[in-house]
Amino acid sequence: MKIERIIVNASPLIVLFKAGFSELLPQLFTDILVPVAVWDEVLAGGATDTAARTLPATAWLKRVEVSALPPILTAWDLGPGESQVLSLALDNPGAGVVIDDAAARRCAATLRVPLLGTGGILVLAKRRGLIGSMAASLDELRNAGLWLSDDIANLLIKLAGE
């Protein structure tokens, strides 16, 4: 199933902006939603942070208000951003989420919400010919602050066909 609408958490946005890969999102997806808690978390990086400076002027991102969280999410005790991302996904059937946080990923899987991590964005981009080298791109993400084990990095490279 091709995902057209995604809801992005703060850490993937921050890392994609810092590594220069944020423009992959509108090339891969039709709608890119950012809940208010995530928006605020990115802006908290301050004036010297690439993501905080760039986010407000990024026209293809849609800032979305989130109403009260459903009880099934509050029971997971996730952070505000992760909770709002998953709440929006539950309100938008078929929407996927981009989350790297382990607990939030487990929650998404339990709730059967389509899920990608930041590395998964690069796999899609590589498969669609939007990036040249998966290995080099992963290095750029790591240099921008994304933590990936070597096993996960190798798996992503293999999934991308390298």
Side-chain angles (χ1 to χ4, degrees):
M1 174 175 95
K2 184 176 178 183
I3 300 170
E4 295 290 334
R5 172 177 284 173
I6 59 162
I7 304 145
V8 188
N9 197 30
S11 58
L13 272 179
I14 292 166
V15 171
L16 288 168
F17 274 113
K18 285 183 179 178
F21 290 126
S22 62
E23 289 299 321
L24 292 174
L25 294 174
Q27 294 177 65
L28 295 168
F29 306 101
T30 305
D31 292 316
I32 301 107
L33 308 179
V34 179
V36 170
V38 170
W39 191 277
D40 292 345
E41 186 177 338
V42 173
L43 291 183
T48 60
D49 180 76
T50 302
R53 279 193 329 270
T54 311
L55 180 75
T58 305
W60 45 262
L61 287 173
K62 295 178 186 169
R63 184 175 182 265
V64 181
E65 295 284 339
V66 176
S67 56
L69 299 176
I72 194 160
L73 284 177
T74 57
W76 281 85
D77 196 30
L78 302 170
E82 290 86 358
S83 295
Q84 286 191 9
V85 165
L86 291 166
S87 180
L88 271 179
L90 292 175
D91 288 343
N92 290 275
V97 297
V98 181
I99 294 180
D100 292 330
D101 177 80
R105 291 174 68 85
R106 284 192 299 277
C107 181
T110 300
L111 298 174
R112 293 190 162 91
V113 172
L115 169 70
L116 284 170
T118 306
I121 297 294
L122 288 188
V123 170
L124 285 178
K126 174 66 176 172
R127 288 179 179 172
R128 295 188 191 168
L130 301 174
I131 60 172
S133 167
M134 183 67 181
S137 297
L138 284 175
D139 286 343
E140 290 182 50
L141 285 182
R142 284 174 153 172
N143 291 335
L146 180 67
W147 184 88
L148 281 176
S149 70
D150 289 339
D151 289 342
I152 296 297
N154 290 331
L155 174 62
L156 291 168
I157 291 167
K158 183 176 178 179
L159 288 171
E162 284 185 15

